[in-house]
Amino acid sequence: MDNNRPSVAGHCASDLRRGRALGLGFALLACAATTVLGLGLRHWLDGPNIVMMFLLNVVLVARYLGQSAATLSAVLCVAAFDFFFVPPHLSFAVADLQYLLTFGVMLFVSLLIGHLTIGLRRSALLAEDKAAQTAELFALASTLGRALTREDVARAITVVQRALPDITCRLYALDDHEHLQPEGAAGALSDLEAMAAGHVMRDNKLMLTADLTADAHPLMILPLWGSTRMRGVLMADMATGSADLMRHRAMLEAIAALFAASLERLHFVAVAQQLQMEAAAERLRNSILAAVSHDIRTPLTALFGTADALMLDAAQAPEALRENIFAIHEQSMRLNGLVGNLLELARLHTGNFQLRKEWQPLEEVVGSSLKLLDAALARHRIELHLPRDLPLLEFDAVLLERVLCNLIDNAIRHAPPGSAIAITAALEKDHVEICVGNEGARIPEAQLTQLFEMFSPDTHAKPHSGLGLSICKTIMTAHAGSISARNQANGVRICVALPLGTPPELPRDPEDPPGAEAGPAV
Amino acid sequence: MTQHAPCILLIEDDFQIRRVVRNALERQGMRVEEATACASGLEQAGQVKPELVVLDLGLPDRDGIDFITDFRLWSQAPILILTARFSEAEKILTLDAGADDYLTKPFGIGELLARVRALLRRQASSMEPALVEFGETVVDLSRHQVLRAGAPMHLTATEYRLLAVLIANQGRVMTHQQLVRAAWGNNTQHGSTYLRVYVGRLRQKLERDPARPAHLQTEIGVGYRFVL
């Protein structure tokens, strides 16, 4: 058979030669048969009709036996016509010279018809091939379209195998750690292959090479490029040769694009599922938080109120009863603080938590914190040093109040009654430092940094403080500030730093006397 | 308050909290009516015409704001809100709707009684006195004059206006927005930062310890309260 079916590959050269020889033999036979038939019919048929029979012979040979057979057949037919049908018969001599024209036209027409017939046949075969390929691509696309898992995608390789039986394809997809993982029946990559695949993915360019295997099989490595990023590689190898492999390049590239698209789709499906789960978890967390907040607070409010009411009567009660009442009151207060801190921490760590920053004087929030802790501060002296020239600062007042309350509360908790709690603020180059110091036990240096972790060693001994300071850290971090603790001569000082910014220009009040600056210090 | 027992309507769905609040108020010689939901609370309010309402915000049937809006249609009696922490926005909404003050759960009895008394006093003295005295400051509202420790203290016109608004609403929590509008008018562009700066100046001029104000108190995240 001739090389007239370009898309069907895989025949050895000797096969080809045998097929061609056979074709030529058949062409010879066909010509002989036509001649015999023509001789049999020559009493009934004129010369032109005999010519027609020969032309028909050429068409059929061209249709079924290919190019060389058609050419041979054209020449043979003209020769046979001359020899057997043109007077003088059984001789190549020509009596009537106009037959030369007949021969010329006959030869030309035979060759032309042969050529056209072959072209037609080739196009038909090509179209058939293309249709088959398209059908396989459709099958692949629909298989991949239905794929819900990586395994489904890997199974689609069998569809490719059906479309391209001579080619072995292997699929490798990138995992979350950017490593190529074999999919389906594909074996692990050799080192050389992995290196080549790395190149292909980096350059996003197909590679054709025969150097990667011991038996020099040609191997085509195709990048699987999704619309956003690299998804893996497709490896195609073929026994016959790289030229054959190159002929399938378009098909292989189409297949690679399909695999890349489905791997990408699977990736985004996974991402969407993940996000959906996270959103559901977040909703659940918020509703639990709200429910817990309400359900715990309600009995706590009753408990605290009852204890408080008992306190009002405690003055007349006997000593032992009074002690019990104090204990209930104190413990309910402590429980309240603990629950408050837990809920606050949970709230701060939800995803939708937002700072409500505004420009405001620091003095105000210090004042309101001290007022909130009025009762707790009764047994301590407050030493307050706020410079009068502090600029406006930008912060969430409710949260900064929480920070200061926790710091002051912590300071009281670790200091003996009657000692001083120092609250100071200082203007530094790019921040304002607010410190709360007490006169109490120092903290081992090694524990100073752990103080703000959610469950620091300190939490064992004094359950309240660890959570409170960890809230302070969370809030300060949200403000792009910081928190630190250091020992001083006779106690501990915890400082928070709040970054300075550019406060807004406040419009001057027209009724104000000139020179009165809009600032907290007058 | 011995001669007259003020009537207080307590709307709260939790029995234990109701019990604590009722006991505390009754010990002070007040009359307490109870309701457990908004709808019955409104009905009750129409019948007993309370002089003060203590309203829990987490009622099962309706939003507390609805109650305030409805109640304000026919009564100016002060409303004290019981609310949870973390709900500054909700506090502001209720105050803007017409509530007068709030207590954050859990609250002490002393605090509750102090708020109730302040609101009742405010209700009783609807006629404003010409002289208001707090700390070492005396404000003569008729002559627009402020004395501190006997000596005249100069306030700018804006400062004085702000002080007058706060005094007129003593005992109540005024939200930032309410104060800004009252002091600078409805069309003002000034935000709460401007207000905070002015309150800071007033404190410098009038408070003994401006960092720990006794009278011009801050309700963090919500507004200010003037207390005598």
Side-chain angles (χ1 to χ4, degrees):
Chain A
M1 194 182 268
D2 203 336
N3 180 21
N4 52 12
R5 227 195 128 165
S7 61
V8 176
H11 295 282
C12 301
S14 62
D15 272 357
L16 277 173
R17 263 200 303 279
R18 211 172 51 221
R20 185 173 297 176
L22 214 61
L24 294 180
F26 276 123
L28 200 67
L29 280 179
C31 194
T34 311
T35 308
V36 170
L37 188 67
L39 286 174
L41 296 173
R42 69 174 162 182
H43 299 299
W44 294 279
L45 295 180
D46 287 340
N49 286 327
I50 302 289
V51 170
M52 288 303 152
M53 279 175 62
F54 278 112
L55 285 181
L56 180 64
N57 169 52
V58 173
V59 168
L60 291 176
V61 168
R63 170 71 182 80
Y64 293 105
L65 299 176
Q67 178 79 65
S68 9
T71 311
L72 176 71
S73 176
V75 175
L76 279 179
C77 286
V78 172
F81 182 64
D82 179 15
F83 194 78
F84 292 103
F85 299 96
V86 174
H89 299 298
L90 299 179
S91 147
F92 287 114
V94 179
D96 192 344
L97 276 182
Q98 68 173 331
Y99 273 112
L100 286 180
L101 182 65
T102 309
F103 296 152
V105 171
M106 191 178 162
L107 185 63
F108 176 72
V109 169
S110 322
L111 287 174
L112 190 64
I113 287 176
H115 184 73
L116 288 177
T117 308
I118 283 159
L120 207 62
R121 185 169 159 234
R122 193 174 284 171
S123 313
L125 280 174
L126 264 176
E128 237 172 70
D129 251 22
K130 281 265 186 290
Q133 277 191 358
T134 310
E136 295 296 358
L137 273 181
F138 276 141
L140 181 62
S142 75
T143 307
L144 286 175
R146 282 194 305 270
L148 293 175
T149 61
R150 293 274 276 264
E151 289 70 36
D152 293 346
V153 171
R155 264 196 289 280
I157 283 286
T158 57
V159 181
V160 177
Q161 228 63 65
R162 214 160 54 225
L164 302 168
D166 306 313
I167 297 178
T168 312
C169 283
R170 287 173 290 152
L171 182 66
Y172 297 87
L174 283 173
D175 62 13
D176 294 338
H177 309 291
E178 301 291 308
H179 294 312
L180 283 173
Q181 297 297 340
E183 298 290 334
L189 285 170
S190 72
D191 289 348
L192 276 174
E193 284 174 335
M195 214 163 73
H199 273 286
V200 166
M201 289 191 295
R202 201 184 51 230
D203 304 342
N204 190 16
K205 250 164 78 183
L206 166 155
M207 180 191 277
L208 181 64
T209 170
D211 303 334
L212 300 182
T213 50
D215 53 354
H217 268 185
L219 178 68
M220 190 184 277
I221 308 177
L222 298 114
L224 299 181
W225 173 257
S227 50
T228 53
R229 47 162 284 192
M230 193 56 72
R231 299 284 165 198
V233 292
L234 183 71
M235 301 235 176
D237 56 80
M238 190 172 192
T240 49
S242 49
D244 285 336
L245 206 46
M246 270 322 259
R247 269 209 311 276
H248 297 294
R249 177 179 171 161
M251 175 81 169
L252 284 170
E253 279 180 333
I255 289 169
L258 280 175
F259 274 107
S262 36
L263 285 177
E264 180 148 281
R265 183 174 60 84
L266 286 188
H267 169 75
F268 284 124
V269 166
V271 168
Q273 276 172 346
Q274 181 73 18
L275 285 180
Q276 219 167 15
M277 252 164 57
E278 275 168 19
E282 182 73 36
R283 272 198 303 276
L284 186 65
R285 194 148 85 143
N286 281 340
S287 54
I288 288 176
L289 201 59
V292 167
S293 173
H294 178 261
D295 289 359
I296 292 183
R297 255 175 230 289
T298 303
L300 200 55
T301 303
L303 177 66
F304 187 70
T306 310
D308 215 36
L310 279 173
M311 285 284 283
L312 295 177
D313 299 329
Q316 294 99 42
E319 177 67 25
L321 181 58
R322 203 161 63 223
E323 259 177 29
N324 281 340
I325 292 173
F326 280 157
I328 293 177
H329 188 254
E330 197 183 308
Q331 292 305 307
S332 65
M333 233 163 38
R334 190 167 144 198
L335 187 61
N336 175 39
L338 196 60
V339 167
N341 272 342
L342 268 174
L343 291 175
E344 182 102 47
L345 201 63
R347 193 177 66 107
L348 288 174
H349 281 101
T350 54
N352 56 7
F353 154 71
Q354 276 185 337
L355 279 184
R356 293 159 51 105
K357 285 212 247 181
E358 277 181 272
W359 289 95
Q360 49 201 315
L362 180 69
E363 192 182 58
E364 192 160 89
V365 67
V366 172
S368 70
S369 310
L370 288 173
K371 182 165 174 291
L372 271 183
L373 290 170
D374 235 5
L377 280 168
R379 293 193 292 172
H380 290 82
R381 267 181 301 124
I382 291 288
E383 290 174 1
L384 185 62
H385 299 288
L386 299 181
R388 294 195 52 178
D389 58 349
L390 280 183
L392 293 180
L393 295 170
E394 194 183 25
F395 55 85
D396 182 320
V398 176
L399 292 182
L400 197 67
E401 183 189 71
R402 188 99 299 270
V403 169
L404 292 175
C405 280
N406 282 352
L407 291 185
I408 297 168
D409 187 54
N410 188 62
I412 296 171
R413 203 169 292 280
H414 297 92
S419 62
I421 305 289
I423 302 169
T424 56
L427 183 59
E428 304 289 340
K429 198 165 87 241
D430 57 352
H431 65 272
V432 167
E433 194 174 57
I434 309 146
C435 296
V436 177
N438 68 358
E439 297 172 351
R442 296 164 57 128
I443 298 173
E445 290 294 323
Q447 286 180 21
L448 278 179
T449 49
Q450 300 166 12
L451 220 48
F452 309 108
E453 300 313 315
M454 205 176 291
F455 295 102
S456 73
D458 191 40
T459 50
H460 264 310
K462 291 118 184 165
H464 194 170
S465 52
L467 217 49
L469 292 181
S470 142
I471 288 173
C472 293
K473 186 182 179 183
T474 308
I475 294 174
M476 290 320 294
T477 307
H479 279 88
S482 62
I483 186 165
S484 61
R486 49 183 173 270
N487 283 312
Q488 48 185 12
N490 56 347
V492 179
R493 212 154 89 105
I494 301 185
C495 297
V496 293
L498 201 59
L500 288 174
T502 316
E505 248 344 279
L506 290 181
R508 185 185 292 277
D509 189 335
E511 299 165 59
D512 280 350
E517 284 305 313
V522 180
Chain B
M1 279 171 218
T2 41
Q3 70 277 40
H4 166 66
C7 174
I8 300 194
L9 176 60
L10 169 61
I11 310 174
E12 159 69 61
D13 58 332
D14 185 73
F15 169 74
Q16 293 294 344
I17 297 180
R18 258 197 337 263
R19 183 182 58 77
V20 168
V21 174
R22 189 190 58 221
N23 286 345
L25 294 176
E26 280 177 351
R27 279 174 65 117
Q28 301 298 310
M30 300 175 195
R31 198 151 56 81
V32 179
E33 298 288 338
E34 290 179 357
T36 55
C38 268
S40 55
L42 266 178
E43 223 171 273
Q44 192 100 334
Q47 287 164 16
V48 302
K49 307 270 188 307
E51 275 144 279
L52 184 137
V53 176
V54 179
L55 172 68
D56 177 40
L57 268 198
L59 289 173
D61 62 335
R62 272 166 78 194
D63 197 338
I65 304 228
D66 289 348
F67 176 91
I68 300 170
T69 320
D70 281 2
F71 184 71
R72 276 283 170 262
L73 290 177
W74 57 271
S75 174
Q76 286 306 308
I79 301 175
L80 175 62
I81 298 291
L82 304 181
T83 171
R85 212 160 95 196
F86 308 144
S87 48
E88 272 66 30
E90 195 181 45
K91 290 172 191 166
I92 291 171
L93 276 179
T94 55
L95 292 169
D96 281 340
D100 294 83
D101 199 354
Y102 62 85
L103 268 177
T104 303
K105 286 183 189 173
F107 46 84
I109 298 297
E111 217 178 343
L112 169 75
L113 293 177
R115 300 289 172 85
V116 168
R117 278 198 216 101
L119 289 174
L120 285 175
R121 192 165 52 233
R122 184 185 140 61
Q123 177 76 349
S125 63
S126 53
M127 229 182 42
E128 282 183 16
L131 278 187
V132 179
E133 241 184 290
F134 56 94
E136 48 188 16
T137 305
V138 179
V139 181
D140 186 338
L141 290 165
S142 57
R143 287 157 55 190
H144 287 214
Q145 219 178 42
V146 180
L147 298 175
R148 178 161 176 191
M153 165 66 78
H154 174 74
L155 295 189
T156 66
T158 310
E159 286 165 0
Y160 183 81
R161 211 162 49 234
L162 183 60
L163 179 64
V165 172
L166 282 164
I167 289 175
N169 289 285
Q170 58 138 307
R172 291 180 68 183
V173 177
M174 298 286 284
T175 65
H176 291 132
Q177 205 191 0
Q178 285 172 340
L179 281 172
V180 167
R181 288 206 178 142
W184 284 280
N186 279 330
N187 301 321
T188 179
Q189 301 289 310
H190 298 324
S192 49
T193 301
Y194 203 52
L195 173 68
R196 287 187 172 107
V197 168
Y198 269 91
V199 172
R201 290 189 195 176
L202 274 179
R203 283 180 180 148
Q204 296 286 348
K205 291 185 176 178
L206 306 179
E207 290 276 3
R208 201 187 310 260
D209 183 355
R212 304 181 70 179
H215 308 287
L216 296 164
Q217 292 178 353
T218 309
E219 291 294 326
I220 243 8
V222 177
Y224 295 97
R225 177 212 311 273
F226 177 79
V227 289
L228 279 181

